[in-house]
Amino acid sequence: GAGVSQSPRYKVAKRGQDVALRCDPISGHVSLFWYQQALGQGPEFLTYFQNEAQLDKSGLPSDRFFAERPEGSVSTLKIQRTQQEDSAVYLCASSLAGTGGYEQYFGPGTRLTVT
Amino acid sequence: KQEVTQIPAALSVPEGENLVLNCSFTDSAIYNLQWFRQDPGKGLTSLLLIQSSQREQTSGRLNASLDKSSGRSTLYIAASQPGDSATYLCAVRDNAGNMLTFGGGTRLMVKP
């Protein structure tokens, strides 16, 4: 079956622009996660959805970052007024259920470069 | 706050060697631990998932162990091949939440 997909794969934005990054999780997966990975580092948690409910947004670095999953499937991560420090790879992951020790499956990521 | 550390940060070995990658975490109240592989410019591929009640998991030439009480996990790669060259990441899921906390990764190069 299809894995987690993300679009676009690459995004270049001028400082101050707004961007929207899309994640299509594996069909039927209840949980969806967003992570940010700076160059040469491990991913860091941003936010977590269970179905359409955003249960944890403690990792969002500022109020310029906003995520939604209105129908409990596709999710969008929006960054307003992008800044250079937002340059990173944004990874989306999904897992089968919100509870239990299920694996997280990751998409290929969106590489955002802010110039 | 959970912190995950991976040592070494980079490793270069000749083909055929057996090798061990180390991962340590500060809070032993974990739900599970996952090892991932990341190729340059690509996403993460899950290699092994160890539940907190398990001591080890094996897949092919890979064996991962977990010692929860001491906050350590190791990934053993047998008979390394050039195709094993990648960054290896370990990540823990705490009992308190659903997200993963990652280490900084070990960048492995296996030379032919």
Side-chain angles (χ1 to χ4, degrees):
Chain A
V4 179
S5 61
Q6 293 186 245
S7 61
R9 291 294 314 281
Y10 304 92
K11 177 70 178 177
V12 178
K14 286 186 166 37
R15 190 160 55 103
Q17 282 185 332
D18 298 348
V19 298
L21 313 179
R22 177 187 169 107
C23 172
D24 284 82
I26 294 172
S27 178
H29 276 198
V30 167
S31 296
L32 185 145
F33 304 81
W34 285 98
Y35 295 85
Q36 179 190 59
Q37 186 175 26
L39 190 64
Q41 297 181 23
E44 293 192 353
F45 169 77
L46 294 176
T47 187
Y48 159 63
F49 290 85
Q50 188 170 320
N51 296 306
E52 68 277 5
Q54 189 174 21
L55 298 186
D56 188 341
K57 53 182 180 179
S58 61
L60 295 176
S62 78
D63 58 8
R64 295 185 296 104
F65 286 71
F66 172 77
E68 61 183 4
R69 193 186 185 198
E71 297 178 359
S73 178
V74 171
S75 177
T76 303
L77 176 67
K78 297 179 180 177
I79 309 173
Q80 297 177 324
R81 304 181 304 282
T82 52
Q83 301 179 6
Q84 284 193 318
E85 60 262 30
D86 300 334
S87 295
V89 175
Y90 291 84
L91 294 164
C92 175
S94 69
S95 68
L96 186 58
T99 57
Y102 293 98
E103 284 185 65
Q104 291 189 23
Y105 296 89
F106 281 77
T110 294
R111 181 177 297 276
L112 173 65
T113 303
V114 181
T115 60
Chain B
K1 180 186 170 190
Q2 179 74 266
E3 293 182 5
V4 180
T5 304
Q6 291 187 246
I7 294 173
L11 183 61
S12 180
V13 300
E15 181 177 5
E17 273 203 8
N18 302 323
L19 55 100
V20 174
L21 307 182
N22 296 292
C23 173
S24 61
F25 45 95
T26 54
D27 185 349
S28 62
I30 67 168
Y31 202 97
N32 59 37
L33 182 147
Q34 262 182 279
W35 281 93
F36 294 89
R37 169 186 173 135
Q38 186 172 34
D39 293 283
K42 301 290 177 67
L44 278 63
T45 300
S46 180
L47 298 173
L48 290 163
L49 170 69
I50 311 178
Q51 303 294 351
S52 62
S53 58
Q54 297 175 319
R55 298 283 296 188
E56 65 178 335
Q57 282 284 346
T58 298
S59 175
R61 294 182 294 108
L62 305 179
N63 176 277
S65 67
L66 174 63
D67 184 342
K68 198 173 73 161
S69 61
S70 68
R72 294 178 189 274
S73 176
T74 60
L75 179 66
Y76 175 82
I77 303 176
S80 58
Q81 303 171 358
D84 295 331
S85 298
T87 296
Y88 290 81
L89 293 154
C90 78
V92 300
R93 181 188 158 187
D94 295 334
N95 286 337
N98 289 291
M99 81 287 281
L100 296 175
T101 302
F102 282 84
T106 294
R107 194 170 62 254
L108 173 66
M109 176 169 291
V110 181
K111 297 181 179 178

